[in-house]
Every structure is written in structure tokens, then in C-alpha cells.
């Protein structure tokens, strides 16, 4: 069901009439298309829903192109990232092309949808800015972490669910809440996988987030449980390249404190809250999305 979305995204880029843009676009790794799946499962496979899905996925792809520049990432989904292969300028401009094309196509959708999606992209950008600022020092505050992941990740998923419900004449409030909790759970699992997955599966070094200065939920839970001496030791690793001994120490503390397990349980709780929001809607296929997302390994 995603082929039509994929084809439409390509058509949008093709319609620009610039062979270089299309050539580069084809090198962007495709990803899981979670947002498109969500939209089609809520709204059904109507032409409007496919249009919305293509817009949201173009915007999401653009945001990752910029994110890889910001994070100086060499890879995306295990393959060379656009910034690494072609330089930051190309990655930023390709992001701008995808982003502005997505917004042009967004203007053909109902105003309520256009506003919601456009507004979520502002939140996305504020969230990314917050993420960058937070990397300056270890952040022990859970509220700040959740505010940042809401904006950076959950807001576009929330807007996708709202918009799909709007197109289908469903209860937008319930679906928006489903989307928000799904988005939060998704980011928590992403943060867990940075710790539990092998670098081969992730396509980036293990414990990369902490090296990049990101204090994610498992680190927050671990920090809570450590004594003063171990807290100091953990802080000394913040934002640094870790050797095998350092990584092993951090991993052993994750085990001792149960911080990874607690994070997974929290993601599951968010998953249940998402399902609770739409419990009267009779949509078993949305339960599957939550399961797939929480049980994934990359
Ligand atoms: C990935 O985070 C980043 C995002 C989900 C949002 C990025 C948003 C922007 C760059 C601003 C919006 C820009 C445009 C053009 C719409 P991560 O680094 O934690 O995840 P990763 O491991 O997948 O890189
Ligand atoms: Mg990144």
C-alpha cells in the first residue's frame, strides 16, 4: 500500500524538472514510512490520503537530511548519508527542495490539515534546536527531555494522525492523542535501541547518542539510581568518544540500575495510552502499528 505514496513522492520531485534534484533524491534512503502507514491506516487508501502521506514523508525526509548535517552523521539507515557523500551544502539544499515541494503540495489539501502540518514543522524545528542546545551539558531533567522529543518527533506524527482523521471525517482529537503517544513511544524506543542494538544493525556506533551529547531517557533513569561517585564517572563520559572499557562500564550500569528495562516499560505504557485514546474506534490495524514500533530492533 506504500508503493503509491513512494511513486507520488518521486513524481513530485520529478515535476520540478531538475535532473540533479531527482538524481540526488533517489539516493536518499527510504526508511520505514511509519507516518505514511499511519495516515493510510487511519484515512484509508483514498487519493487525498496518499497525497497527505507523500507530503508528510517529503517533509520528514527533508528534516532527516538537515538532521544528519547537524549531527555530522556519516550514515543513515546503514548507508552513506547524503551530507557525507556529497557535502553539507548539497544535503541542506536537497532538504530545502523536498521541504518546499512538500509545502507546495500541502496547499492543495484542506486548510485545517495544512495548518496542522505546517504548525507541527515549526515545532519540529524548535525541538531540533532544543536538542542541539541540550547537547551542551548533561540534562538530568525528564520534563525537558519529554518536551524536546514531543516537539522533535511526536508533533509531526500527531499532526499526521489528526490530518488523516480529518480527511476521513473521524474524531480528530482522539487520533491526535493516539499519534502523540505513538510518537513519544517511538522516540523512547529509538533512544533505547541506541544502547541495546549492535552498531551493525544500527548503522552507527553503539552508545552514539551519549557521545553526541544526548541525554536520553535510559541515561536519565540510570543517573537517578547512581551514587555520587558513579554519577561523576558517568558525567565524565558525556560528549566523549568512548573506548571499549568505558562502554562496558556504562552498559554494566544500565544492567544494574534496570534503566533500559524501565525505559522500555515506559514506552509500552505510552503505547497503551495511545491505544486507549482510540479504544472505541474499532481499528485493529492501529494496534499493529504500536506493536511493530515497540518490538522493532532498528
Ligand atoms: C532526528 O533526531 C531528527 C528529527 C526527528 C527532526 C529533525 C528536524 C529538523 C532538522 C528541523 C526541521 C527541518 C525541516 C527541513 C522540515 P535524532 O538525531 O535523534 O535521530 P536519528 O538517530 O534518526 O538521527
Ligand atoms: Mg540525528
Amino acid at each position: 500500500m506504500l508503493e503509491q505514496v513512494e511513486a507520488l513522492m518521486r513524481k513530485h520531485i520529478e515535476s520540478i524538472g531538475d535532473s540533479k534534484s531527482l538524481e540526488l533524491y533517489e539516493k536518499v534512503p527510504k526508511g520505514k514510512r511509519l507516518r505514511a502507514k499511519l495516515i493510510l491506516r487511519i484515512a484509508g487508501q483514498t487519493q487525498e490520503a496518499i497525497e497527505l502521506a507523500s507530503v508528510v514523508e517529503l517533509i520528514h525526509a527533508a528534516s532527516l537530511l538537515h538532521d544528519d548535517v547537524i549531527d555530522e552523521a556519516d550514515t543513515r539507515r546503514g548507508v552513506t548519508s547524503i551530507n557525507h557523500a556529497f557535502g553539507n551544502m548539497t544535503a541542506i539544499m536537497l532538504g530545502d527542495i523536498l521541504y518546499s515541494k512538500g509545502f507546495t503540495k500541502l496547499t492543495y489539501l484542506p486548510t485545517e490539515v495544512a495548518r496542522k502540518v505546517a504548525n507541527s514543522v515549526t515545532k519540529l524545528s524548535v525541538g531540533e534546536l532544543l536538542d542541539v542546545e541540550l547537547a551542551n551539558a548533561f540534562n538530568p531533567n525528564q520534563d525537558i527531555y519529554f518536551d524536546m522529543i514531543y516537539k522533535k518527533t511526536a508533533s509531526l506524527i500527531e499532526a499526521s494522525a489528526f490530518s488523516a482523521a480529518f480527511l476521513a471525517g473521524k474524531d480528530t482529537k482522539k487520533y491526535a492523542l493516539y499519534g502523540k503517544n505513538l510518537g513519544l513511544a517511538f522516540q523512547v524506543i529509538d533512544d533505547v535501541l541506541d544502547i541495546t542494538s549492535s552498531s551493525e544493525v544500527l548503522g552507527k556506533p553503539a552508545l552514539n547518542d551519549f557521545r553526541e551529547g544526548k541525554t536520553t531517557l535510559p541515561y536519565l533513569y540510570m543517573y537517578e539510581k547512581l551514587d555520587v561517585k558513579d554519577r561523576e564517572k558517568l558525567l565524565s563520559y558525556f560528549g566523549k568518544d568512548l573506548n571499549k572499557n568505558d562502554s562496558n562500564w556504562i552498559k554494566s550500569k544500565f544492567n544494574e540500575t534496570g534503566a533500559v528495562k524501565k525505559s522500555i516499560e515506559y514506552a509500552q505504557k505510552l503505547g497503551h495510552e495511545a491505544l486507549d485514546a482510540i479504544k472505541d474506534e474499532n481499528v485493529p490495524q492501529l494496534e499493529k502499528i504500536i506493536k511493530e514500533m515497540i518490538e522493532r530492533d532498528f
Side-chain angles (χ1 to χ4, degrees):
M1 76 180 176
L2 290 175
E3 301 84 61
Q4 282 165 286
V5 178
E6 217 62 73
L8 189 57
M9 288 169 74
R10 193 184 183 283
K11 198 174 141 213
H12 290 333
I13 302 304
E14 211 175 1
S15 75
I16 299 168
D18 177 55
S19 58
K20 185 76 198 167
S21 301
L22 188 61
E23 190 192 309
L24 284 167
Y25 171 73
E26 289 189 326
K27 297 195 162 65
V28 177
K30 298 239 180 327
K32 297 181 280 291
R33 303 292 192 223
L34 167 78
R35 292 152 190 82
K37 262 191 209 167
L38 179 67
I39 290 167
L40 297 184
R41 286 193 189 167
I42 294 174
Q45 293 182 54
T46 64
Q47 193 50 39
E48 238 186 356
I50 293 166
E51 289 285 350
L52 172 65
S54 74
V55 164
V56 168
E57 288 292 351
L58 281 177
I59 294 171
H60 175 59
S63 77
L64 294 183
L65 284 166
H66 286 189
D67 179 69
D68 283 343
V69 171
I70 294 167
D71 289 344
E72 298 174 5
D74 296 350
T75 57
R76 169 67 55 191
R77 307 203 164 282
V79 301
T80 307
S81 58
I82 298 290
N83 52 306
H84 193 62
F86 305 100
N88 285 346
M89 290 188 237
T90 300
I92 291 170
M93 295 320 300
L94 182 63
D96 287 344
I97 291 165
L98 267 53
Y99 170 56
S100 52
K101 192 66 190 175
F103 264 70
T104 304
K105 291 294 160 189
L106 185 58
T107 65
Y108 293 86
L109 289 165
T111 311
E112 288 83 348
V113 168
R115 267 192 206 139
K116 192 58 106 184
V117 172
N119 191 250
S120 77
V121 180
T122 307
K123 285 190 191 153
L124 200 73
S125 308
V126 172
E128 183 81 349
L129 184 63
L130 193 55
D131 198 19
V132 169
E133 279 171 3
L134 285 173
N136 290 327
F138 184 87
N139 160 52
N141 186 318
Q142 291 179 23
D143 291 342
I144 295 177
Y145 165 81
F146 280 111
D147 179 51
M148 185 274 288
I149 68 165
Y150 164 64
K151 289 175 178 144
K152 184 181 77 166
T153 306
S155 63
L156 183 60
I157 300 178
E158 176 184 44
S160 301
F162 171 100
S163 302
F166 183 88
L167 294 184
K170 294 182 174 175
D171 188 326
T172 51
K173 237 176 142 177
K174 287 182 183 170
Y175 283 91
L177 187 57
Y178 166 88
K180 179 181 174 180
N181 284 318
L182 168 68
L184 291 172
F186 181 83
Q187 189 59 51
V188 171
I189 292 295
D190 221 52
D191 294 345
V192 164
L193 291 174
D194 181 78
I195 293 156
T196 56
S197 280
S198 66
S199 43
E200 292 76 30
V201 172
L202 282 179
K204 56 187 176 187
L207 306 184
N208 192 48
D209 283 344
F210 207 55
R211 190 184 64 81
E212 283 183 355
K214 295 182 181 177
T215 315
T216 59
L217 193 61
Y219 290 92
L220 288 168
Y221 284 156
M222 179 195 337
Y223 186 75
E224 263 182 354
K225 290 267 164 72
L226 295 179
D227 61 27
V228 179
K229 223 170 118 251
D230 281 346
R231 278 187 177 182
E232 254 176 52
K233 187 162 175 168
L234 179 67
L235 290 184
S236 76
Y237 293 143
F238 178 77
K240 306 247 170 72
D241 282 334
L242 303 171
N243 66 31
K244 196 90 200 120
N245 268 346
D246 308 334
S247 303
N248 285 343
W249 182 84
I250 294 183
K251 285 192 176 165
S252 74
K253 291 294 163 188
F254 273 129
N255 275 335
E256 279 171 35
T257 57
V260 166
K261 193 168 162 268
K262 196 172 163 192
S263 304
I264 295 170
E265 282 164 4
Y266 194 77
Q268 285 165 341
K269 181 173 167 272
L270 288 164
H272 288 131
E273 280 172 25
L275 291 177
D276 207 41
I278 50 158
K279 64 178 185 311
D280 302 326
E281 296 288 299
N282 195 21
V283 272
Q285 68 274 31
L286 293 184
E287 233 167 275
K288 229 179 114 208
I289 287 200
I290 302 269
K291 270 190 87 111
E292 279 171 14
M293 200 237 357
I294 294 178
E295 286 161 15
R296 73 203 160 99
D297 59 2
F298 70 96

